[in-house]
DNA sequence: AACCAGGCGCATA
DNA sequence: TATGCGCATGGT
């Protein structure tokens, strides 16, 4: 069987793309760790999701991950989306020279940081503020169903900035986003007009990129950092929410260790996930038992 | 029935 | 610069 692409170890079997299990990619750990909000567990244990206007069914068995739907979508979307050209084994070895990070990595070694679209990541994390994961998912789902382009079979793309820019906050009432509705409309108008140049954020100097995002009402330091990390591939960015705040206060009072330099955002994801879901990871705190579907 | 949820804007000192 | 409060909504 011919490789569908060089570098990431994928090959084609029939119409599916196969990723041999490297130990560096767990579907639940990656898709259900609070970084993306459109992935649903399927009865067969796999996941279904939509990104960049394409739907995807992905399944994991003992020895491999199977991406259904063909090599074209894989090359166009999923290879980049799942960050398959980054060597997470190497990243994890580096991070594991620190004892706390080593624990976080060992707890969930299949966590990857997804490379989402800037606009979707921005909206998702505007919605996330003072909110919980199950409800964030519900709001995003209703937003897509109401305003996203139909892709067939009841599936919808994430709505474009242009589409949302034409709305008033009240038009978003059915989404039940609460006070965040006007933030979404403001973001849409600034993105659609080019007042905030989202595609430029991937290569702008960090402070400038942060400043651009914070022109949007409802985008503060944390949401801006999320948009940059999850939406713009800026893996040095560290969103500091309540969980990461606790990790830093209690375990890294002097900041993240030197081994995380340049990939602080990836380190953050392992730490965030462990702090939230691994009992006893945070001293003097019970982790959440579960969240969401 | 309060309290919380991957925060932010605004007022006040 | 630094706190404190209200905010829509829904689940414990």
């Amino acid at each position: 069987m011919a490789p569908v692409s060089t570098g990431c170890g994928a090959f084609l079997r029939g119409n599916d793309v196969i990723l041999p299990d490297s130990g560096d990619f767990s579907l639940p750990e990656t898709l259900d760790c609070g970084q993306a909000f459109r992935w649903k567990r399927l009865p067969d244990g796999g996941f279904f999701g939509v990104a960049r206007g394409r739907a995807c069914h992905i399944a994991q068995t003992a020895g491999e991950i199977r991406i259904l739907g063909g090599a074209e979508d894989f090359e166009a979307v999923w290879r980049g989306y799942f960050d398959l050209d980054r060597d997470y084994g190497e990243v994890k070895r580096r991070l594991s020279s620190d004892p706390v990070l080593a624990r976080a990595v060992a707890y969930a070694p299949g966590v990857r940081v997804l490379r989402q679209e800037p606009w979707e990541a921005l909206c998702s994390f505007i919605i996330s503020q003072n909110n919980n994961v199950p409800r964030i998912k519900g709001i995003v789902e209703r937003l897509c169903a109401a305003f996203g382009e139909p892709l067939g079979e009841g599936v919808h793309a994430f709505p474009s900035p242009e589409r949302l820019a034409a709305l008033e906050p009240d038009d978003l009432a059915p989404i039940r986003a609460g006070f965040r509705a006007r933030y979404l409309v403001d973001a849409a108008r600034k993105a659609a007009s080019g007042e905030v140049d989202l595609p430029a954020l991937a290569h702008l100097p960090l402070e400038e990129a942060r400043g651009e995002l914070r022109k949007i009402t409802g985008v503060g330091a944390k949401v801006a950092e999320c948009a940059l990390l999850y939406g713009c591939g800026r893996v040095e960015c560290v969103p500091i929410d309540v969980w990461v705040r606790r990790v830093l206060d209690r375990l890294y009072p002097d900041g993240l260790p030197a081994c995380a330099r340049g990939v602080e955002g990836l380190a953050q994801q392992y730490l965030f996930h462990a702090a939230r879901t691994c009992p006893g990871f945070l001293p003097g705190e019970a982790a959440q038992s579960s969240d969401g579907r």
Side-chain angles (χ1 to χ4, degrees):
Chain A
M1 298 181 198
V4 285
S5 56
T6 57
C8 69
F11 62 89
L12 206 54
R13 180 192 299 142
N15 200 35
D16 302 337
V17 173
I18 307 296
L19 301 172
D21 188 358
S22 60
D24 301 334
F25 190 3
S26 152
L27 262 30
E29 287 173 11
T30 296
L31 270 17
D32 207 17
C33 72
Q35 59 172 320
F37 303 98
R38 293 203 69 188
W39 291 95
K40 291 182 183 171
R41 283 179 196 264
L42 297 171
D44 67 4
F47 283 80
F48 177 85
V50 183
R52 294 183 59 174
R54 320 250 188 145
C56 176
H57 178 181
I58 180 166
Q60 186 159 26
T61 54
E64 64 189 33
I65 285 174
R66 204 153 49 95
I67 301 173
L68 290 74
E72 313 84 60
D73 278 7
F74 177 77
E75 285 301 326
V77 176
W78 307 116
R79 179 177 177 168
Y81 182 86
F82 293 120
D83 202 17
L84 295 176
D85 291 301
R86 186 187 306 278
D87 183 349
Y88 275 76
E90 163 64 23
V91 169
K92 291 189 291 180
R93 277 190 295 279
R94 267 185 57 190
L95 297 179
S96 296
S97 67
D98 173 83
V100 173
L101 269 164
R103 263 201 300 147
V105 166
Y107 169 70
V111 168
R112 306 176 77 86
V113 172
L114 301 169
R115 301 173 67 102
Q116 304 177 57
E117 285 189 289
W119 168 242
E120 178 170 343
L122 172 61
C123 289
S124 297
F125 285 95
I126 285 173
I127 291 167
S128 79
Q129 66 184 86
N130 198 36
N131 213 340
N132 57 65
V133 171
R135 209 171 81 88
I136 296 163
K137 288 180 178 175
I139 293 169
V140 170
E141 186 173 305
R142 292 187 290 275
L143 180 67
C144 295
F147 303 108
E149 284 300 313
L151 301 174
E153 304 182 8
V155 178
H156 296 262
F158 196 90
S160 68
E162 290 73 21
R163 181 70 207 281
L164 297 192
L167 303 176
E168 297 299 327
D170 285 350
D171 298 323
L172 289 176
I175 300 315
R176 307 203 295 279
F179 63 85
R180 309 163 192 85
R182 70 185 182 93
Y183 300 164
L184 292 173
V185 171
D186 188 62
R189 289 178 181 168
K190 286 171 178 160
S193 70
E195 181 177 345
V196 174
D197 185 0
L198 294 183
L201 299 178
H203 51 261
L204 231 46
L206 253 188
E207 277 310 315
E208 291 181 37
R210 291 182 175 120
E212 282 297 294
L213 283 162
R214 295 194 57 174
K215 292 190 207 165
I216 298 163
T217 308
V219 176
K222 193 270 180 180
V223 171
E225 218 66 1
C226 286
L228 289 168
L229 173 61
Y230 302 115
C232 304
R234 306 296 293 255
V235 293
E236 70 273 43
C237 289
V238 179
I240 300 179
D241 76 316
V242 291
W243 291 100
V244 175
R245 181 78 270 159
R246 289 171 197 157
V247 170
L248 293 176
D249 285 349
R250 301 181 199 182
L251 298 169
Y252 295 108
D254 300 318
L256 290 175
C259 67
R261 194 170 307 265
V263 290
E264 291 89 345
L266 307 185
Q268 173 271 155
Q269 198 63 31
Y270 294 105
L271 294 168
F272 170 80
H273 184 60
R276 281 210 339 159
T277 64
C278 177
F281 183 82
L282 269 180
E285 185 111 14
Q288 287 182 186
S289 50
S290 76
D291 67 79
R293 301 285 73 91

